[in-house]
């Protein structure tokens, strides 16, 4: 390894590890240090909502420990180490009382879960699941329990609902919207997924919210705004994520919905880059795997000497609700056009077409879900 200040990557999620792997493809000897607040285990986050369906315990979803990854990638990895600040002028990261010099700094530190402040003494029964450590804690608490209430009917809430039913748990989903995955799925596709989940036994309580969570015996009693009362052993809070921007903003980096970067993943401050759930790339905050992989490939080239801009292609999202397989590629925000829907029960093909007839987005469920690949070829890429 060279004696120059290293490339420092903050975060060992999919963004951090994918970037490190991509750098190693370009340069076997670049000096890399990874810093992470968690235990540094490598795992695929999308698998967290498939544990019961795939019959896997939390530990079986882990792919490699921090030590294994450090050795495989030939780098220094500092686990359980929280970054508390960035000093761009000194080219240093602040780690509590310590400082760590960087040549290039990459922020891959993800997003925070949004926690609602709900009244009541039952908060210790409420779990947010956004990493493997969260999932381990949830699975431990779930042992011997039967009933789970999920707050939120977005992609993650719906996936956990399906997975927990596959594990034979009773599931209630509470959400303020009148449909599932609003903003992601058009109504007919959302209705198909809801019908699939209901057939599986999931109970929905839509157009209301949880007002109060009180301890009751070993579990909790939820009081909803519509007056309904539900008993549960555990609660999952899946009400959304917010890109981590605070430390970046405090260090003078431009932030908006995420840490603002251009297509070369450069922040507004020299030698500092960002990708993954924390980044707003050329105006896009896309909290999915495909965009971060594309970013990691481009950034690895930039960091090893060939400045490269990311190009986002068409990026469909698979919703892991096996009771009603679903794929969606939302049209660009503000696109003009309308949905054209063909529906037969839980089989829905919804195409968002411009007036010219061009397909700008789609949502397919049930037997039409297999058309995802063919339709993806029709939709224009995000970056032409
Ligand atoms: C249940 C679930 C299912 C999903 N399913 C899909 C799917 O099917 N398809 C899809 O495309 N996407 C899916 N996603 C989204 C996808 O998994 C994420 O977009 C992606 O994993 C984000 O990776 P990341 O590395 O950017 O962030 P993270 O995985 O959150 O990693 C952030 C890292 O930064 C570290 N960190 C944070 N703050 C600090 C600090 N101050 N100091 C040091 N370290 C810090 C953390 O410890 C962690 O190592 C899913 C997400 C969830 C929660």
């Amino acid at each position: 390894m060279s004696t120059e200040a290293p490339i420092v990557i903050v975060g060992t999620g999919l963004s951090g590890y994918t970037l490190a792997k991509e750098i190693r493809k370009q340069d076997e000897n670049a000096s890399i240090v990874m810093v992470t607040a968690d235990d540094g285990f490598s795992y695929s986050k999308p698998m967290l909502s498939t544990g019961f369906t795939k019959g896997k315990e939390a530990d079986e979803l882990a792919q490699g420990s921090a030590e294994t990854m450090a050795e495989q990638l030939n780098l220094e990895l500092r686990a359980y180490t929280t970054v508390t600040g960035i000093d761009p002028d000194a080219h240093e990261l602040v780690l509590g009382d310590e400082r760590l010099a960087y040549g290039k700094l990459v922020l891959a530190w993800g997003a925070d879960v949004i926690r609602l402040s709900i009244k009541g003494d039952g908060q210790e029964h409420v779990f947010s699941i956004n990493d493997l450590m969260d999932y381990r804690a949830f699975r431990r608490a779930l042992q011997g329990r039967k009933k789970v209430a999920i707050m939120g009917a977005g992609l993650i809430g719906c996936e956990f609902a399906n997975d927990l039913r596959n594990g034979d748990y009773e599931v209630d989903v509470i959400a303020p919207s009148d449909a599932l995955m609003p903003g992601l799925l058009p109504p007919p596709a959302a209705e198909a997924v809801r019908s699939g989940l209901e057939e599986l036994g999931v109970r929905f309580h839509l157009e209301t919210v949880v007002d109060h969570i009180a301890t009751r015996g070993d579990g909790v009693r939820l009081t909803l705004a519509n007056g309904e009362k539900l008993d549960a052993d555990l609660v999952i809070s899946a009400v959304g994520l917010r890109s981590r921007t605070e430390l970046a903003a405090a260090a003078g980096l431009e932030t908006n919905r995420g840490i603002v970067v251009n297509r070369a993943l450069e922040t507004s401050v020299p030698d500092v880059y960002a990708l993954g759930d924390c980044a707003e790339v050329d105006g896009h905050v896309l909290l999915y795997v495909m965009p971060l992989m594309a970013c990691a490939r481009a950034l690895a080239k930039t960091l090893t000497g060939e400045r490269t801009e990311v190009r986002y292609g068409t990026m469909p999202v698979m919703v892991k609700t096996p009771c009603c397989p679903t794929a969606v590629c939302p049209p660009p925000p503000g696109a003009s056009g309308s949905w054209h829907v063909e529906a037969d029960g839980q089989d829905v093909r919804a195409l968002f077409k411009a007036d010219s007839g061009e397909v700008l987005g789609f949502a397919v469920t049930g037997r039409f879900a297999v058309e995802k690949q063919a339709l993806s070829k029709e939709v224009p890429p995000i970056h032409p």
Side-chain angles (χ1 to χ4, degrees), residues 281-304:
V281 181
D282 187 30
H284 300 278
V285 178
L286 299 170
L287 308 189
Y288 299 109
V289 175
M290 276 176 87
L292 73 82
M293 303 284 252
C295 288
R297 283 191 292 270
L299 184 52
K301 287 194 179 146
T302 298
L303 294 174
T304 53

Side-chain angles (χ1 to χ4, degrees), residues 11-12 14-15 36-38 45 83 109 277 287-289 320:
T12 53
L14 280 170
S15 303
T36 183
D38 63 25
K45 193 183 288 198
V83 172
W109 60 30
D277 279 6
L287 308 189
Y288 299 109
V289 175
K320 299 188 292 304

Side-chain angles (χ1 to χ4, degrees), residues 105-342:
L105 172 63
V106 181
L107 306 176
W109 60 30
D112 278 320
V113 291
I114 295 173
R115 285 293 289 234
L116 304 172
S117 68
I118 296 176
K119 294 179 292 246
D121 65 357
Q123 301 307 322
E124 74 196 47
H125 296 263
V126 181
F127 291 77
S128 300
I129 304 171
N130 189 36
D131 60 37
L132 185 60
M133 290 168 76
D134 294 340
Y135 189 63
R136 278 200 194 103
F138 172 70
R139 288 291 295 258
R140 223 176 293 126
L142 198 58
Q143 276 173 19
R145 304 308 187 95
K146 275 317 306 162
K147 289 175 98 169
V148 181
I150 300 176
M151 297 193 287
L155 178 132
I156 290 171
C158 290
E159 290 190 353
F160 275 118
N162 196 146
D163 196 48
L164 286 162
R165 279 303 299 142
N166 288 354
D168 217 17
Y169 292 89
E170 282 185 50
V171 178
D172 287 278
V173 175
I174 306 107
S177 54
D178 61 357
L180 311 193
M181 294 178 259
L184 185 64
L185 292 185
E191 200 40 53
V193 179
R194 175 176 176 165
S195 154
L197 287 168
E198 279 178 341
E199 271 178 20
L200 200 64
V202 177
R203 297 181 290 252
F204 285 98
H205 311 265
L206 300 183
E207 297 183 82
T208 189
V209 291
V210 177
D211 243 5
H212 196 266
I213 304 178
T215 309
R216 188 178 160 88
D218 286 346
V220 283
R221 169 158 284 190
L222 281 64
T223 306
L224 312 190
N226 66 6
E228 236 184 301
K229 292 190 192 310
L230 299 174
D231 290 333
D233 295 317
L234 299 178
V235 181
I236 294 179
S237 172
V239 298
L241 292 166
R242 192 180 293 121
S243 300
R244 292 191 174 109
T245 55
E246 244 174 60
L247 289 177
L253 278 67
E254 187 186 346
T255 61
N256 185 32
R257 288 180 299 137
I259 301 169
V260 171
V261 294
N262 59 18
R263 283 179 58 183
L265 292 319
E266 295 159 336
T267 67
S268 58
V269 162
D271 296 327
V272 184
Y273 304 80
L275 81 165
D277 279 6
C278 65
E280 179 174 325
V281 181
D282 187 30
H284 300 278
V285 178
L286 299 170
L287 308 189
Y288 299 109
V289 175
M290 276 176 87
L292 73 82
M293 303 284 252
C295 288
R297 283 191 292 270
L299 184 52
K301 287 194 179 146
T302 298
L303 294 174
T304 53
E306 184 192 341
R307 188 179 181 279
T308 303
E309 296 199 335
V310 67
R311 183 183 165 277
Y312 282 167
T314 304
M315 304 215 246
V317 177
M318 291 297 296
V319 183
K320 299 188 292 304
T321 45
C323 68
C324 179
T326 298
V328 56
C329 186
S336 107
S338 53
W339 285 101
H340 297 250
V341 180
E342 188 184 330

Side-chain angles (χ1 to χ4, degrees), residues 21-175:
K21 287 175 197 165
E22 291 294 329
I23 294 174
R24 281 289 171 253
K25 286 185 196 165
Q26 307 290 330
D27 184 338
E28 289 178 2
N29 301 312
S31 168
I32 306 175
V33 178
M34 296 189 79
V35 179
T36 183
D38 63 25
D39 58 13
F41 262 92
S42 165
Y43 69 101
S44 171
K45 193 183 288 198
M47 294 296 116
L48 299 183
S49 48
T50 66
F52 290 103
T53 308
K54 295 204 185 317
K56 298 214 165 172
E57 295 292 334
D59 285 336
E60 294 172 285
L61 297 173
Q63 288 157 355
S65 66
E67 294 72 28
T68 309
M69 296 309 293
E71 197 182 317
Q72 262 177 25
L73 293 164
N74 180 29
L75 49 76
E76 183 187 334
L77 198 157
R78 301 180 59 166
Y80 299 113
T81 304
T82 301
V83 172
T84 51
I86 307 167
D87 183 343
D89 294 334
H91 271 56
E92 286 176 348
L93 271 183
V94 186
L95 314 170
D97 295 338
E98 199 194 328
R99 289 194 163 230
L100 174 66
Y102 63 81
K104 310 271 183 198
L105 172 63
V106 181
L107 306 176
W109 60 30
D112 278 320
V113 291
I114 295 173
R115 285 293 289 234
L116 304 172
S117 68
I118 296 176
K119 294 179 292 246
D121 65 357
Q123 301 307 322
E124 74 196 47
H125 296 263
V126 181
F127 291 77
S128 300
I129 304 171
N130 189 36
D131 60 37
L132 185 60
M133 290 168 76
D134 294 340
Y135 189 63
R136 278 200 194 103
F138 172 70
R139 288 291 295 258
R140 223 176 293 126
L142 198 58
Q143 276 173 19
R145 304 308 187 95
K146 275 317 306 162
K147 289 175 98 169
V148 181
I150 300 176
M151 297 193 287
L155 178 132
I156 290 171
C158 290
E159 290 190 353
F160 275 118
N162 196 146
D163 196 48
L164 286 162
R165 279 303 299 142
N166 288 354
D168 217 17
Y169 292 89
E170 282 185 50
V171 178
D172 287 278
V173 175
I174 306 107

